[in-house]
Amino acid sequence: MHGTIAYSDHKFDYTAQFSARATMAITVFPDGAIRVIAPEATSQEEVERRLRKRARWLIRQMLHFEQFRPRAPERRYVGGETHLYLGRQYRLKLHKRAEEEVKLKGAFLHVASPGHREPRVVKRLVLGWYREKGKTRIAERFTVIAARFVKMGCKPPLPIFRSMPRRWGSWTPSGRISLNPDLIRAPTACIDYVITHELVHLIHPHHGQAFYDLLETLMPDWRQRKQRLERILS
């Protein structure tokens, strides 16, 4: 079972598994994932009630793990600064032109505009370029990977693209799959991992052993891809 609870300004996504046990266990993992293992007869309402009751503890756990994550330097959007695209570094090259344009060529990300030395203008253009490239490229990879699941009897939905501060992808019990267009900064192998992870939820909604068994069958090196993604985009 997969769900989301809200507490103050925070939202927590969680997965819940049920087993023949007497008490409920709540675990927060270093990547921010929350897993609940509850007695078999426990309702979703009770799971979420307990999570809300422990919301402050969840926040403390998140903050604890957050301090150990490497931080990417804050982007300043000035000439010569490096930016990632499909896992490779490109330098910003700023041009003064009447027409706004962003183009990848050689080792540079060329950004042209009348206000070419204004970081807010450069930032708007670069982020817009990332969003458009992300939607196109990630959708192409989704189509390729989804074909494997069609052969397995699934009917993958079209993905929804939305920015998510702390997640690269998500799945809901209604079958909706969301992908973060900012993934375009990661290598294609990492993009494929996120897409595959979310598509496996169509067969195994939880993060139990069956989920990971299928993920490993489809992508034996998923752990390395996940670690690479976290290393590059943290």
Side-chain angles (χ1 to χ4, degrees), residues 6-225:
Y7 176 82
S8 185
D9 295 329
H10 300 272
K11 282 190 176 181
F12 303 105
D13 295 321
Y14 70 88
T15 57
Q17 297 173 246
F18 301 93
S19 64
R21 56 179 293 143
T23 58
M24 187 183 300
I26 301 173
T27 305
V28 179
F29 293 92
D31 64 355
I34 299 171
R35 186 180 69 186
V36 179
I37 302 179
E40 290 176 341
T42 308
S43 66
Q44 184 169 2
E45 290 76 14
E46 176 61 15
V47 168
E48 295 190 352
R49 187 189 71 80
R50 289 287 296 275
L51 285 169
R52 288 192 184 92
K53 186 176 179 181
R54 301 198 66 186
R56 291 187 179 181
W57 176 80
L58 294 174
I59 293 170
R60 288 198 301 272
Q61 291 296 104
M62 297 284 191
L63 292 174
H64 171 74
F65 289 126
E66 188 73 24
Q67 66 182 314
F68 300 109
R69 294 178 186 165
R71 300 289 182 182
E74 185 177 351
R75 302 289 86 187
R76 296 189 299 135
Y77 297 94
V78 296
E81 185 177 61
T82 58
H83 287 256
L84 284 167
Y85 177 70
L86 292 177
R88 294 184 60 188
Q89 294 274 8
Y90 294 88
R91 290 190 178 277
L92 286 185
K93 199 163 192 178
L94 309 181
H95 308 272
K96 186 173 184 178
R97 291 182 194 154
E99 301 256 337
E100 294 182 341
E101 182 185 35
V102 180
K103 182 170 61 176
L104 196 67
K105 186 176 180 181
F108 295 93
L109 184 59
H110 298 267
V111 182
S113 70
H116 70 300
R117 294 197 183 279
E118 297 180 41
R120 62 179 183 82
V121 174
V122 177
K123 180 179 180 178
R124 173 176 59 80
L125 291 172
V126 169
L127 294 184
W129 181 84
Y130 268 126
R131 279 193 299 273
E132 291 307 310
K133 289 291 184 181
K135 290 178 182 179
T136 301
R137 176 70 176 179
I138 296 169
E140 290 172 355
R141 297 307 305 160
F142 187 91
T143 299
V144 171
I145 296 167
R148 297 186 68 184
F149 287 82
V150 171
K151 293 178 181 178
M152 297 165 65
C154 294
K155 294 182 179 179
L158 291 175
I160 296 169
F161 291 96
R162 64 186 180 97
S163 296
M164 295 176 278
R166 297 180 57 84
R167 304 194 69 174
W168 300 116
S170 69
W171 171 88
T172 66
S174 64
R176 186 179 73 179
I177 291 176
S178 298
L179 297 171
N180 192 334
D182 200 37
L183 259 177
I184 196 62
R185 297 191 291 133
T188 300
C190 297
I191 295 173
D192 289 356
Y193 156 70
V194 173
I195 293 171
T196 302
H197 180 110
E198 302 308 333
L199 285 171
V200 169
H201 279 308
L202 297 177
I203 300 171
H204 299 295
H206 51 78
H207 279 113
Q209 191 59 48
F211 172 92
Y212 288 107
D213 286 346
L214 179 56
L215 179 60
E216 187 134 0
T217 298
L218 296 171
M219 186 174 282
D221 64 340
W222 69 268
R223 291 181 182 81
Q224 290 87 340
R225 297 187 193 218

